[in-house]
Short mmCIF file of all heavy atoms in Angstrom, two decimals:
data_model
loop_
_atom_site.label_atom_id
_atom_site.label_comp_id
_atom_site.label_asym_id
_atom_site.label_seq_id
_atom_site.Cartn_x
_atom_site.Cartn_y
_atom_site.Cartn_z
N LYS A 224 -21.18 6.71 -20.13
CA LYS A 224 -20.27 7.77 -20.57
C LYS A 224 -20.09 8.71 -19.38
O LYS A 224 -21.03 9.41 -18.98
CB LYS A 224 -20.85 8.52 -21.76
CG LYS A 224 -20.83 7.74 -23.05
CD LYS A 224 -21.45 8.53 -24.19
CE LYS A 224 -20.68 9.80 -24.48
NZ LYS A 224 -21.24 10.54 -25.64
N GLN A 226 -18.54 11.89 -17.59
CA GLN A 226 -18.07 13.20 -18.00
C GLN A 226 -17.09 13.79 -16.98
O GLN A 226 -17.02 13.35 -15.83
CB GLN A 226 -19.26 14.15 -18.19
CG GLN A 226 -20.34 13.63 -19.13
CD GLN A 226 -19.86 13.41 -20.54
OE1 GLN A 226 -19.60 12.29 -20.95
NE2 GLN A 226 -19.71 14.49 -21.29
N ASP A 227 -16.35 14.79 -17.42
CA ASP A 227 -15.43 15.55 -16.58
C ASP A 227 -16.23 16.22 -15.45
O ASP A 227 -17.27 16.84 -15.69
CB ASP A 227 -14.74 16.60 -17.45
CG ASP A 227 -13.64 17.35 -16.74
OD1 ASP A 227 -13.92 17.98 -15.71
OD2 ASP A 227 -12.50 17.34 -17.24
N LEU A 228 -15.75 16.11 -14.22
CA LEU A 228 -16.48 16.69 -13.09
C LEU A 228 -16.50 18.21 -13.14
O LEU A 228 -17.43 18.84 -12.61
CB LEU A 228 -15.85 16.23 -11.77
CG LEU A 228 -15.93 14.74 -11.46
CD1 LEU A 228 -15.19 14.43 -10.15
CD2 LEU A 228 -17.37 14.25 -11.39
N GLN A 229 -15.49 18.82 -13.75
CA GLN A 229 -15.43 20.27 -13.84
C GLN A 229 -15.98 20.81 -15.16
O GLN A 229 -16.36 21.97 -15.24
CB GLN A 229 -13.98 20.74 -13.67
CG GLN A 229 -13.43 20.54 -12.28
CD GLN A 229 -14.19 21.34 -11.24
OE1 GLN A 229 -14.40 22.54 -11.38
NE2 GLN A 229 -14.63 20.66 -10.18
N ASP A 230 -16.04 19.96 -16.17
CA ASP A 230 -16.57 20.36 -17.48
C ASP A 230 -17.47 19.22 -17.97
O ASP A 230 -17.06 18.41 -18.81
CB ASP A 230 -15.42 20.61 -18.46
CG ASP A 230 -15.92 21.01 -19.85
OD1 ASP A 230 -17.13 21.29 -19.99
OD2 ASP A 230 -15.10 21.02 -20.80
N PRO A 231 -18.69 19.14 -17.44
CA PRO A 231 -19.56 17.99 -17.75
C PRO A 231 -20.00 17.90 -19.20
O PRO A 231 -20.67 16.94 -19.58
CB PRO A 231 -20.75 18.19 -16.81
CG PRO A 231 -20.73 19.63 -16.44
CD PRO A 231 -19.30 20.05 -16.46
N ALA A 232 -19.61 18.86 -20.02
CA ALA A 232 -19.88 18.74 -21.46
C ALA A 232 -18.83 17.89 -22.15
O ALA A 232 -19.01 17.49 -23.31
CB ALA A 232 -19.93 20.12 -22.10
N ALA A 233 -17.71 17.61 -21.46
CA ALA A 233 -16.61 16.82 -22.04
C ALA A 233 -16.46 15.51 -21.30
O ALA A 233 -16.75 15.41 -20.10
CB ALA A 233 -15.31 17.62 -21.96
N LYS A 234 -15.98 14.49 -22.00
CA LYS A 234 -15.74 13.20 -21.37
C LYS A 234 -14.57 13.28 -20.39
O LYS A 234 -13.62 14.04 -20.62
CB LYS A 234 -15.42 12.13 -22.43
CG LYS A 234 -16.61 11.67 -23.24
CD LYS A 234 -16.21 10.66 -24.29
CE LYS A 234 -15.72 9.36 -23.70
NZ LYS A 234 -15.45 8.33 -24.71
N MET A 235 -14.66 12.50 -19.31
CA MET A 235 -13.52 12.38 -18.42
C MET A 235 -12.37 11.79 -19.22
O MET A 235 -12.53 10.79 -19.91
CB MET A 235 -13.88 11.49 -17.23
CG MET A 235 -12.85 11.46 -16.12
SD MET A 235 -13.40 10.50 -14.66
CE MET A 235 -14.62 11.62 -13.95
N VAL A 274 -29.62 15.78 -19.41
CA VAL A 274 -28.26 15.97 -19.94
C VAL A 274 -28.09 17.34 -20.58
O VAL A 274 -27.04 17.98 -20.44
CB VAL A 274 -27.92 14.86 -20.96
CG1 VAL A 274 -26.57 15.13 -21.63
CG2 VAL A 274 -27.89 13.50 -20.27
N PRO A 278 -26.17 18.95 -17.11
CA PRO A 278 -25.18 17.91 -17.41
C PRO A 278 -24.38 17.47 -16.18
O PRO A 278 -24.04 16.29 -16.06
CB PRO A 278 -24.27 18.57 -18.46
CG PRO A 278 -24.44 20.04 -18.24
CD PRO A 278 -25.87 20.21 -17.82
N GLY A 279 -24.04 18.38 -15.29
CA GLY A 279 -23.26 18.00 -14.11
C GLY A 279 -24.03 17.10 -13.18
O GLY A 279 -23.51 16.08 -12.70
N ASN A 282 -24.47 13.69 -14.77
CA ASN A 282 -23.24 12.89 -14.68
C ASN A 282 -23.13 12.21 -13.32
O ASN A 282 -22.79 11.03 -13.22
CB ASN A 282 -22.04 13.80 -14.93
CG ASN A 282 -20.73 13.04 -15.08
OD1 ASN A 282 -20.67 11.99 -15.71
ND2 ASN A 282 -19.68 13.58 -14.50
#
Side-chain angles (χ1 to χ4, degrees):
K224 288 179 63 177
Q226 307 297 102
D227 187 302
L228 295 177
Q229 291 298 309
D230 179 11
K234 287 178 66 175
M235 189 175 287
V274 173
N282 189 40

